[in-house]
């Protein structure tokens, strides 16, 4: 007999955010889980199917496939992956597809994984942050934030989930401690002495699960999440403790960071400068206490680091 559980359809189920939600949904068992992927035959998709998840094909560039993927779902978790193509315009087109599909399928609750449109703080004409791609300040933030209205315009019941910097960037994004010429270790972030709201990537999905579990309470609301608010010095201290070696924080200037030249350096340099210069607003939007109510197992930076330090590559 078919399951009578409400279905949560998860975009990005094979990735960090959606994968955390799938895990939380499976542990709880209240909802049925539908994982959406472009490739149902990938190893990750097969592992999801083996754990009892319904795995369906869906591509954010193809409206028909997303309508089918959302059909019959009560809830949908929606995320885009800027770092696959570096195009805020493409992210926006994908939001439009997801919103149209959710509306057509009559989805009752969408969680949209978003970030601030930083141009509300720094208008394009203000060159305190350089304009990128002709119309963005922090492209991977702005494209998401500027697409928030699409959900409301279409009348899709939506929670706007403001996510935070993943602690995993220290493992997978090349941000871990680097060896200096004198043998000392340092982490580099151009955000002066201000606080970074961050989170373990898997905790994002667990928070999304908490939002679905709360029924309609968060529909129409913006919910900012973080597992900790830490300065560069706080992080360096935590690294020193976890690695048993002294690590110091190097507060590079944002312009120097933008000039590092790796793909996305300008976007990230602007992002850190935004964190630094509008820190009160950015931190206030992400209460750790409120996040812990959604996800009681939320990890602080030190807790995450103690469990993961051995995975951090050293350059
Ligand atoms: N790194 C950070 O600190 C941070 C912090 C906050 C927010 N973010 C944002 O997080 C987003 C990425 O999320 P993530 O880290 O969970 O991603 P991820 O682990 O890199 O995985 C990407 C996921 O997106 C799916 N996907 C990508 N393109 C798709 C398409 N066209 N159609 C259907 N599915 C598609 C992939 O599914 P398949 O490959 O299986 O199809 C995969 O599950 C980015 O936009 C980034 O800006 C990152």
């Amino acid at each position: 007999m078919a399951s009578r559980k409400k279905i949560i359809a998860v975009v990005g189920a094979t990735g960090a955010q959606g994968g955390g939600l799938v895990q939380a949904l499976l542990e709880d068992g209240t909802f049925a889980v539908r994982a959406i992927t472009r490739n149902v035959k990938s190893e990750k998709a097969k592992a999801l199917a083996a754990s009892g998840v319904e795995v369906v094909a869906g591509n954010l560039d193809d409206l028909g496939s997303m309508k089918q993927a959302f059909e019959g779902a009560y809830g949908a978790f929606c995320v885009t992956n800027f770092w696959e193509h570096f195009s805020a315009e493409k992210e926006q087109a994908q939001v439009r597809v997801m919103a149209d599909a959710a509306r057509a399928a009559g989805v009752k609750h969408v969680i949209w994984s978003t970030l601030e449109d930083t141009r509300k703080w720094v208008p394009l004409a203000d060159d305190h942050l350089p304009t990128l791609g002709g119309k963005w300040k922090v492209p991977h933030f702005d494209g998401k934030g500027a697409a928030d209205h699409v959900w409301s315009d279409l009348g899709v019941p939506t929670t706007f989930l403001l996510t935070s910097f993943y602690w995993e960037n220290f493992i997978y994004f090349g941000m871990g401690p680097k060896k200096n010429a004198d043998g000392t270790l340092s982490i580099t972030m151009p955000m002066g002495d201000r606080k970074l709201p961050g989170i373990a990537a898997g905790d994002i999905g667990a928070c999304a699960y908490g939002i679905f579990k709360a029924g309609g309470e968060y529909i129409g609301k913006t919910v900012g999440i973080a597992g900790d608010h830490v300065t560069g010095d706080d992080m360096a201290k935590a690294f020193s403790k976890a690695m048993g070696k002294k690590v110091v924080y190097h507060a590079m200037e944002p312009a120097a960071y933008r000039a590092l030249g790796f793909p996305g350096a300008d976007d990230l340099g602007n992002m850190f400068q935004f964190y630094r210069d509008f820190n009160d607003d950015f931190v206030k939007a992400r209460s750790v206490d409120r996040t812990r109510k959604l996800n009681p197992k939320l990890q602080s930076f030190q807790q995450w680091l103690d469990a993961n330090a051995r995975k951090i590559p050293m350059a």
Side-chain angles (χ1 to χ4, degrees):
M1 201 173 79
S3 160
R4 294 221 193 96
K5 289 179 181 175
K6 288 177 177 168
I7 297 168
I8 306 283
V10 183
V11 175
T14 57
Q17 296 192 27
L21 172 59
V22 168
Q23 199 54 42
L25 288 165
L26 285 175
E27 277 167 23
D28 175 72
T30 305
F31 297 96
V33 192
R34 179 182 294 166
I36 299 169
T37 173
R38 288 166 293 183
N39 180 6
V40 296
K41 293 190 175 138
S42 73
E43 287 309 311
K44 284 182 179 172
K46 284 197 262 179
L48 286 171
S51 65
V53 169
E54 178 193 8
V55 178
V56 304
N59 189 326
L60 303 183
D61 302 326
D62 172 4
L63 177 60
S65 75
M66 290 310 297
K67 278 186 180 167
Q68 253 182 350
F70 285 166
E71 193 54 48
Y74 156 82
F77 178 77
C78 291
V79 62
T80 49
N81 186 11
F82 176 88
W83 300 109
E84 186 170 308
H85 45 69
F86 292 74
S87 165
E89 288 85 353
K90 183 159 178 155
E91 280 192 290
Q92 293 193 302
Q94 293 182 333
V95 171
R96 182 76 210 195
V97 164
M98 289 189 286
D100 279 338
R103 183 182 173 184
V107 174
K108 302 285 186 297
H109 187 181
V110 161
I111 298 178
W112 158 229
S113 174
T114 189
L115 288 164
E116 284 88 345
D117 180 351
T118 64
R119 298 167 303 174
K120 289 185 186 155
W121 284 262
V122 193
L124 280 186
D126 180 349
D127 56 10
H128 143 253
L129 279 188
T131 295
L132 304 176
K135 55 177 175 169
W136 313 107
K137 291 298 185 183
V138 183
H140 78 284
F141 272 55
D142 300 348
K144 294 182 180 72
D148 286 354
H149 73 90
V150 172
W151 303 96
S152 321
D153 293 352
L154 290 177
V156 178
T158 302
T159 302
F160 302 88
L161 185 67
L162 277 179
T163 61
S164 299
F165 181 94
Y166 306 171
W167 306 135
E168 282 77 3
N169 292 333
F170 290 114
I171 305 176
Y172 305 114
F173 224 77
M175 291 190 182
K178 304 272 180 310
K179 226 179 227 159
N180 302 308
D182 63 1
T184 58
L185 292 171
S186 59
I187 51 167
T188 300
M189 285 182 182
M191 53 172 208
D193 62 357
R194 310 313 304 272
K195 287 186 170 170
L196 173 77
I199 193 162
D203 280 341
I204 296 175
C207 290
Y209 155 75
I211 290 170
F212 280 128
K213 197 77 201 274
E217 189 181 338
Y218 294 100
I219 289 177
K221 297 197 174 137
T222 296
V223 180
I225 54 172
D228 220 336
H229 301 153
V230 278
T231 64
D233 282 337
D234 293 336
M235 286 185 272
K237 219 182 275 174
F239 269 114
S240 303
K241 182 166 172 265
M243 299 175 110
K245 288 182 197 145
K246 183 150 180 69
V247 178
V248 296
Y249 166 58
H250 173 42
M252 186 185 250
E253 275 306 309
Y257 195 93
R258 283 190 283 271
L260 288 175
F262 62 85
D266 48 1
D267 187 328
L268 293 176
N270 280 8
M271 174 192 81
F272 281 118
Q273 189 174 342
F274 176 74
Y275 289 174
R276 184 190 73 179
D277 296 349
F278 301 94
N279 199 251
D280 290 347
D281 287 353
F282 194 67
V283 168
K284 205 162 68 194
R286 292 162 171 78
S287 153
V288 174
D289 288 343
R290 214 179 38 211
T291 309
R292 187 159 289 110
K293 284 198 185 109
L294 291 170
N295 170 15
K297 293 186 198 155
L298 187 73
Q299 297 161 79
S300 68
F301 181 58
Q302 187 76 63
Q303 281 172 326
W304 177 85
L305 192 57
D306 288 345
N308 291 281
R310 75 198 141 71
K311 297 186 202 154
I312 296 174
M314 299 278 274

